[in-house]
Amino acid sequence: MDAAVGEAYDHRVAKVRTLAVLAGTCAALAACGGSSKPTPKPAAAPTATKQAATVEATMRNIRFHPHRIVIHLGQTVRWSNDDKVVHTVASSQLRLASEGIGPGRTFSYTPKRRGTFAYFCTIHANQTGVLVVQ
């Protein structure tokens, strides 16, 4: 074996042995327990605000409110009909078509994929909205 190759090999072997000894020492120290005083727990890290499971929208004055709804995958949208006429919620992109939603009734939908989807009322051609699923 060439001297340079042998020396490089010896350094690698020494590093592996050193790491093995350190790992064994850490495992042994962890098994010993340590002081009889309880270790204080670190302060809880701030967490992200949990998203509401359902996002509310309304149908009023032959319009969807809000016009653009942004949700996260797993959330549900519930449209409430606050109008005096029947509406629907439909989207060819989502393969979604509600039955007629009478005044005071609701319709809920939980998307299965992310994207930006146009939706509309099949009864009122100008009643449209956008659902953004992140």
mmCIF file of all heavy atoms in Angstrom, residues 22-61:
data_model
loop_
_atom_site.group_PDB
_atom_site.id
_atom_site.type_symbol
_atom_site.label_atom_id
_atom_site.label_comp_id
_atom_site.label_asym_id
_atom_site.label_seq_id
_atom_site.Cartn_x
_atom_site.Cartn_y
_atom_site.Cartn_z
ATOM 1 N N LEU A 22 -17.072 8.268 21.399
ATOM 2 C CA LEU A 22 -17.941 9.367 21.826
ATOM 3 C C LEU A 22 -19.395 8.923 21.910
ATOM 4 O O LEU A 22 -20.109 9.266 22.854
ATOM 5 C CB LEU A 22 -17.815 10.557 20.872
ATOM 6 C CG LEU A 22 -16.518 11.366 20.994
ATOM 7 C CD1 LEU A 22 -16.441 12.399 19.875
ATOM 8 C CD2 LEU A 22 -16.457 12.054 22.344
ATOM 9 N N ALA A 23 -19.862 8.162 20.935
ATOM 10 C CA ALA A 23 -21.240 7.680 20.942
ATOM 11 C C ALA A 23 -21.481 6.777 22.141
ATOM 12 O O ALA A 23 -22.521 6.867 22.812
ATOM 13 C CB ALA A 23 -21.546 6.939 19.639
ATOM 14 N N GLY A 24 -20.537 5.905 22.446
ATOM 15 C CA GLY A 24 -20.665 5.026 23.602
ATOM 16 C C GLY A 24 -20.688 5.805 24.902
ATOM 17 O O GLY A 24 -21.461 5.517 25.814
ATOM 18 N N THR A 25 -19.855 6.833 25.002
ATOM 19 C CA THR A 25 -19.809 7.659 26.205
ATOM 20 C C THR A 25 -21.132 8.396 26.398
ATOM 21 O O THR A 25 -21.662 8.445 27.513
ATOM 22 C CB THR A 25 -18.643 8.675 26.108
ATOM 23 O OG1 THR A 25 -17.424 7.947 25.925
ATOM 24 C CG2 THR A 25 -18.551 9.518 27.359
ATOM 25 N N CYS A 26 -21.670 8.943 25.337
ATOM 26 C CA CYS A 26 -22.954 9.655 25.423
ATOM 27 C C CYS A 26 -24.064 8.708 25.865
ATOM 28 O O CYS A 26 -24.893 9.051 26.701
ATOM 29 C CB CYS A 26 -23.314 10.279 24.072
ATOM 30 S SG CYS A 26 -22.264 11.683 23.650
ATOM 31 N N ALA A 27 -24.080 7.500 25.311
ATOM 32 C CA ALA A 27 -25.107 6.527 25.677
ATOM 33 C C ALA A 27 -24.975 6.150 27.147
ATOM 34 O O ALA A 27 -25.970 6.031 27.867
ATOM 35 C CB ALA A 27 -24.997 5.296 24.795
ATOM 36 N N ALA A 28 -23.748 5.969 27.625
ATOM 37 C CA ALA A 28 -23.525 5.604 29.022
ATOM 38 C C ALA A 28 -23.968 6.724 29.950
ATOM 39 O O ALA A 28 -24.598 6.489 30.983
ATOM 40 C CB ALA A 28 -22.045 5.276 29.251
ATOM 41 N N LEU A 29 -23.640 7.957 29.621
ATOM 42 C CA LEU A 29 -24.046 9.090 30.445
ATOM 43 C C LEU A 29 -25.567 9.235 30.481
ATOM 44 O O LEU A 29 -26.143 9.533 31.527
ATOM 45 C CB LEU A 29 -23.413 10.384 29.938
ATOM 46 C CG LEU A 29 -21.914 10.533 30.196
ATOM 47 C CD1 LEU A 29 -21.392 11.781 29.498
ATOM 48 C CD2 LEU A 29 -21.616 10.595 31.682
ATOM 49 N N ALA A 30 -26.202 9.014 29.368
ATOM 50 C CA ALA A 30 -27.664 9.120 29.312
ATOM 51 C C ALA A 30 -28.300 8.047 30.183
ATOM 52 O O ALA A 30 -29.316 8.288 30.833
ATOM 53 C CB ALA A 30 -28.153 8.998 27.873
ATOM 54 N N ALA A 31 -27.713 6.865 30.232
ATOM 55 C CA ALA A 31 -28.258 5.768 31.032
ATOM 56 C C ALA A 31 -28.063 5.992 32.517
ATOM 57 O O ALA A 31 -28.820 5.476 33.339
ATOM 58 C CB ALA A 31 -27.606 4.450 30.608
ATOM 59 N N CYS A 32 -27.050 6.752 32.914
ATOM 60 C CA CYS A 32 -26.762 6.985 34.333
ATOM 61 C C CYS A 32 -27.813 7.844 35.003
ATOM 62 O O CYS A 32 -27.972 7.805 36.202
ATOM 63 C CB CYS A 32 -25.396 7.661 34.494
ATOM 64 S SG CYS A 32 -24.024 6.572 34.120
ATOM 65 N N GLY A 33 -28.466 8.657 34.285
ATOM 66 C CA GLY A 33 -29.483 9.512 34.877
ATOM 67 C C GLY A 33 -28.963 10.897 35.128
ATOM 68 O O GLY A 33 -29.277 11.824 34.448
ATOM 69 N N GLY A 34 -28.149 11.088 36.078
ATOM 70 C CA GLY A 34 -27.614 12.411 36.359
ATOM 71 C C GLY A 34 -28.044 12.879 37.721
ATOM 72 O O GLY A 34 -28.226 12.093 38.641
ATOM 73 N N SER A 35 -28.256 14.136 37.906
ATOM 74 C CA SER A 35 -28.542 14.717 39.208
ATOM 75 C C SER A 35 -29.946 14.344 39.657
ATOM 76 O O SER A 35 -30.811 14.001 38.866
ATOM 77 C CB SER A 35 -28.348 16.227 39.101
ATOM 78 O OG SER A 35 -29.510 16.918 39.356
ATOM 79 N N SER A 36 -30.181 14.438 40.964
ATOM 80 C CA SER A 36 -31.494 14.107 41.507
ATOM 81 C C SER A 36 -32.474 15.264 41.333
ATOM 82 O O SER A 36 -33.652 15.108 41.548
ATOM 83 C CB SER A 36 -31.372 13.735 42.989
ATOM 84 O OG SER A 36 -30.844 14.833 43.703
ATOM 85 N N LYS A 37 -31.963 16.439 40.967
ATOM 86 C CA LYS A 37 -32.836 17.582 40.737
ATOM 87 C C LYS A 37 -33.509 17.434 39.383
ATOM 88 O O LYS A 37 -32.859 17.070 38.404
ATOM 89 C CB LYS A 37 -32.031 18.884 40.754
ATOM 90 C CG LYS A 37 -31.464 19.230 42.104
ATOM 91 C CD LYS A 37 -30.720 20.549 42.020
ATOM 92 C CE LYS A 37 -30.075 20.882 43.333
ATOM 93 N NZ LYS A 37 -29.301 22.127 43.258
ATOM 94 N N PRO A 38 -34.786 17.719 39.333
ATOM 95 C CA PRO A 38 -35.448 17.635 38.018
ATOM 96 C C PRO A 38 -34.921 18.724 37.093
ATOM 97 O O PRO A 38 -34.651 19.835 37.519
ATOM 98 C CB PRO A 38 -36.927 17.851 38.327
ATOM 99 C CG PRO A 38 -36.960 18.513 39.673
ATOM 100 C CD PRO A 38 -35.698 18.110 40.391
ATOM 101 N N THR A 39 -34.767 18.358 35.853
ATOM 102 C CA THR A 39 -34.315 19.307 34.845
ATOM 103 C C THR A 39 -35.493 20.179 34.449
ATOM 104 O O THR A 39 -36.558 19.658 34.115
ATOM 105 C CB THR A 39 -33.784 18.555 33.605
ATOM 106 O OG1 THR A 39 -32.768 17.667 34.036
ATOM 107 C CG2 THR A 39 -33.258 19.513 32.562
ATOM 108 N N PRO A 40 -35.339 21.503 34.520
ATOM 109 C CA PRO A 40 -36.469 22.358 34.135
ATOM 110 C C PRO A 40 -36.779 22.182 32.648
ATOM 111 O O PRO A 40 -35.887 22.048 31.825
ATOM 112 C CB PRO A 40 -35.991 23.772 34.446
ATOM 113 C CG PRO A 40 -34.505 23.687 34.529
ATOM 114 C CD PRO A 40 -34.171 22.269 34.897
ATOM 115 N N LYS A 41 -38.055 22.170 32.368
ATOM 116 C CA LYS A 41 -38.478 22.050 30.971
ATOM 117 C C LYS A 41 -38.335 23.403 30.306
ATOM 118 O O LYS A 41 -38.659 24.427 30.907
ATOM 119 C CB LYS A 41 -39.926 21.590 30.885
ATOM 120 C CG LYS A 41 -40.124 20.172 31.359
ATOM 121 C CD LYS A 41 -41.564 19.751 31.196
ATOM 122 C CE LYS A 41 -41.749 18.329 31.674
ATOM 123 N NZ LYS A 41 -43.122 17.891 31.572
ATOM 124 N N PRO A 42 -37.869 23.411 29.048
ATOM 125 C CA PRO A 42 -37.781 24.691 28.349
ATOM 126 C C PRO A 42 -39.177 25.247 28.096
ATOM 127 O O PRO A 42 -40.141 24.503 28.021
ATOM 128 C CB PRO A 42 -37.074 24.340 27.035
ATOM 129 C CG PRO A 42 -37.276 22.877 26.865
ATOM 130 C CD PRO A 42 -37.424 22.298 28.250
ATOM 131 N N ALA A 43 -39.258 26.549 27.986
ATOM 132 C CA ALA A 43 -40.539 27.189 27.698
ATOM 133 C C ALA A 43 -41.062 26.684 26.365
ATOM 134 O O ALA A 43 -40.303 26.442 25.431
ATOM 135 C CB ALA A 43 -40.369 28.707 27.656
ATOM 136 N N ALA A 44 -42.349 26.514 26.305
ATOM 137 C CA ALA A 44 -42.961 26.020 25.074
ATOM 138 C C ALA A 44 -42.737 27.013 23.946
ATOM 139 O O ALA A 44 -42.896 28.221 24.128
ATOM 140 C CB ALA A 44 -44.451 25.801 25.287
ATOM 141 N N ALA A 45 -42.357 26.484 22.819
ATOM 142 C CA ALA A 45 -42.157 27.335 21.644
ATOM 143 C C ALA A 45 -43.514 27.785 21.132
ATOM 144 O O ALA A 45 -44.485 27.041 21.201
ATOM 145 C CB ALA A 45 -41.418 26.557 20.564
ATOM 146 N N PRO A 46 -43.604 28.993 20.627
ATOM 147 C CA PRO A 46 -44.887 29.431 20.091
ATOM 148 C C PRO A 46 -45.281 28.553 18.910
ATOM 149 O O PRO A 46 -44.452 28.146 18.114
ATOM 150 C CB PRO A 46 -44.631 30.877 19.649
ATOM 151 C CG PRO A 46 -43.156 31.062 19.648
ATOM 152 C CD PRO A 46 -42.560 29.983 20.488
ATOM 153 N N THR A 47 -46.549 28.247 18.848
ATOM 154 C CA THR A 47 -47.035 27.411 17.753
ATOM 155 C C THR A 47 -47.893 28.242 16.819
ATOM 156 O O THR A 47 -48.431 29.275 17.212
ATOM 157 C CB THR A 47 -47.868 26.237 18.290
ATOM 158 O OG1 THR A 47 -48.945 26.773 19.066
ATOM 159 C CG2 THR A 47 -47.034 25.308 19.152
ATOM 160 N N ALA A 48 -48.022 27.763 15.609
ATOM 161 C CA ALA A 48 -48.856 28.459 14.632
ATOM 162 C C ALA A 48 -50.306 28.375 15.079
ATOM 163 O O ALA A 48 -50.729 27.400 15.682
ATOM 164 C CB ALA A 48 -48.693 27.826 13.255
ATOM 165 N N THR A 49 -51.073 29.393 14.777
ATOM 166 C CA THR A 49 -52.483 29.384 15.116
ATOM 167 C C THR A 49 -53.174 28.290 14.330
ATOM 168 O O THR A 49 -53.006 28.180 13.119
ATOM 169 C CB THR A 49 -53.117 30.749 14.760
ATOM 170 O OG1 THR A 49 -52.390 31.758 15.438
ATOM 171 C CG2 THR A 49 -54.566 30.786 15.144
ATOM 172 N N LYS A 50 -53.930 27.481 15.030
ATOM 173 C CA LYS A 50 -54.636 26.393 14.369
ATOM 174 C C LYS A 50 -55.744 26.970 13.489
ATOM 175 O O LYS A 50 -56.481 27.861 13.906
ATOM 176 C CB LYS A 50 -55.234 25.448 15.418
ATOM 177 C CG LYS A 50 -55.865 24.235 14.815
ATOM 178 C CD LYS A 50 -56.344 23.289 15.884
ATOM 179 C CE LYS A 50 -56.993 22.095 15.218
ATOM 180 N NZ LYS A 50 -57.515 21.160 16.201
ATOM 181 N N GLN A 51 -55.831 26.469 12.289
ATOM 182 C CA GLN A 51 -56.838 26.940 11.350
ATOM 183 C C GLN A 51 -58.197 26.372 11.729
ATOM 184 O O GLN A 51 -58.302 25.231 12.161
ATOM 185 C CB GLN A 51 -56.486 26.480 9.921
ATOM 186 C CG GLN A 51 -55.178 26.996 9.399
ATOM 187 C CD GLN A 51 -55.200 28.491 9.179
ATOM 188 O OE1 GLN A 51 -56.200 29.066 8.821
ATOM 189 N NE2 GLN A 51 -54.084 29.128 9.420
ATOM 190 N N ALA A 52 -59.238 27.176 11.584
ATOM 191 C CA ALA A 52 -60.587 26.681 11.813
ATOM 192 C C ALA A 52 -60.862 25.566 10.812
ATOM 193 O O ALA A 52 -60.441 25.639 9.660
ATOM 194 C CB ALA A 52 -61.594 27.811 11.633
ATOM 195 N N ALA A 53 -61.555 24.547 11.256
ATOM 196 C CA ALA A 53 -61.842 23.415 10.375
ATOM 197 C C ALA A 53 -62.793 23.816 9.255
ATOM 198 O O ALA A 53 -62.730 23.272 8.157
ATOM 199 C CB ALA A 53 -62.427 22.261 11.178
ATOM 200 N N THR A 54 -63.668 24.787 9.543
ATOM 201 C CA THR A 54 -64.659 25.214 8.554
ATOM 202 C C THR A 54 -64.560 26.718 8.331
ATOM 203 O O THR A 54 -64.499 27.486 9.285
ATOM 204 C CB THR A 54 -66.083 24.858 9.020
ATOM 205 O OG1 THR A 54 -66.153 23.443 9.234
ATOM 206 C CG2 THR A 54 -67.118 25.262 7.986
ATOM 207 N N VAL A 55 -64.549 27.111 7.080
ATOM 208 C CA VAL A 55 -64.534 28.523 6.692
ATOM 209 C C VAL A 55 -65.936 28.871 6.203
ATOM 210 O O VAL A 55 -66.511 28.153 5.378
ATOM 211 C CB VAL A 55 -63.480 28.773 5.591
ATOM 212 C CG1 VAL A 55 -63.577 30.191 5.068
ATOM 213 C CG2 VAL A 55 -62.091 28.480 6.118
ATOM 214 N N GLU A 56 -66.472 29.952 6.719
ATOM 215 C CA GLU A 56 -67.841 30.354 6.394
ATOM 216 C C GLU A 56 -67.894 31.322 5.216
ATOM 217 O O GLU A 56 -67.049 32.200 5.091
ATOM 218 C CB GLU A 56 -68.494 31.023 7.615
ATOM 219 C CG GLU A 56 -68.549 30.155 8.848
ATOM 220 C CD GLU A 56 -69.496 28.972 8.733
ATOM 221 O OE1 GLU A 56 -70.475 29.038 7.952
ATOM 222 O OE2 GLU A 56 -69.270 27.973 9.442
ATOM 223 N N ALA A 57 -68.886 31.133 4.361
ATOM 224 C CA ALA A 57 -69.170 32.041 3.246
ATOM 225 C C ALA A 57 -70.685 32.171 3.157
ATOM 226 O O ALA A 57 -71.418 31.341 3.700
ATOM 227 C CB ALA A 57 -68.599 31.489 1.947
ATOM 228 N N THR A 58 -71.143 33.225 2.497
ATOM 229 C CA THR A 58 -72.591 33.417 2.371
ATOM 230 C C THR A 58 -72.975 33.659 0.918
ATOM 231 O O THR A 58 -72.146 34.021 0.077
ATOM 232 C CB THR A 58 -73.084 34.614 3.216
ATOM 233 O OG1 THR A 58 -72.422 35.797 2.765
ATOM 234 C CG2 THR A 58 -72.819 34.402 4.684
ATOM 235 N N MET A 59 -74.256 33.478 0.668
ATOM 236 C CA MET A 59 -74.875 33.828 -0.609
ATOM 237 C C MET A 59 -75.925 34.880 -0.269
ATOM 238 O O MET A 59 -76.860 34.602 0.488
ATOM 239 C CB MET A 59 -75.518 32.591 -1.238
ATOM 240 C CG MET A 59 -74.495 31.527 -1.599
ATOM 241 S SD MET A 59 -75.246 29.960 -2.093
ATOM 242 C CE MET A 59 -75.453 29.164 -0.520
ATOM 243 N N ARG A 60 -75.704 36.097 -0.785
ATOM 244 C CA ARG A 60 -76.575 37.216 -0.445
ATOM 245 C C ARG A 60 -76.617 38.182 -1.620
ATOM 246 O O ARG A 60 -75.581 38.479 -2.215
ATOM 247 C CB ARG A 60 -76.038 37.909 0.816
ATOM 248 C CG ARG A 60 -76.890 39.011 1.369
ATOM 249 C CD ARG A 60 -76.343 39.597 2.680
ATOM 250 N NE ARG A 60 -74.980 40.117 2.534
ATOM 251 C CZ ARG A 60 -73.887 39.564 3.059
ATOM 252 N NH1 ARG A 60 -73.959 38.455 3.765
ATOM 253 N NH2 ARG A 60 -72.707 40.111 2.877
ATOM 254 N N ASN A 61 -77.799 38.670 -1.947
ATOM 255 C CA ASN A 61 -77.985 39.609 -3.062
ATOM 256 C C ASN A 61 -77.446 39.032 -4.371
ATOM 257 O O ASN A 61 -76.799 39.733 -5.150
ATOM 258 C CB ASN A 61 -77.330 40.965 -2.758
ATOM 259 C CG ASN A 61 -77.947 41.627 -1.548
ATOM 260 O OD1 ASN A 61 -79.144 41.511 -1.314
ATOM 261 N ND2 ASN A 61 -77.127 42.295 -0.760
#
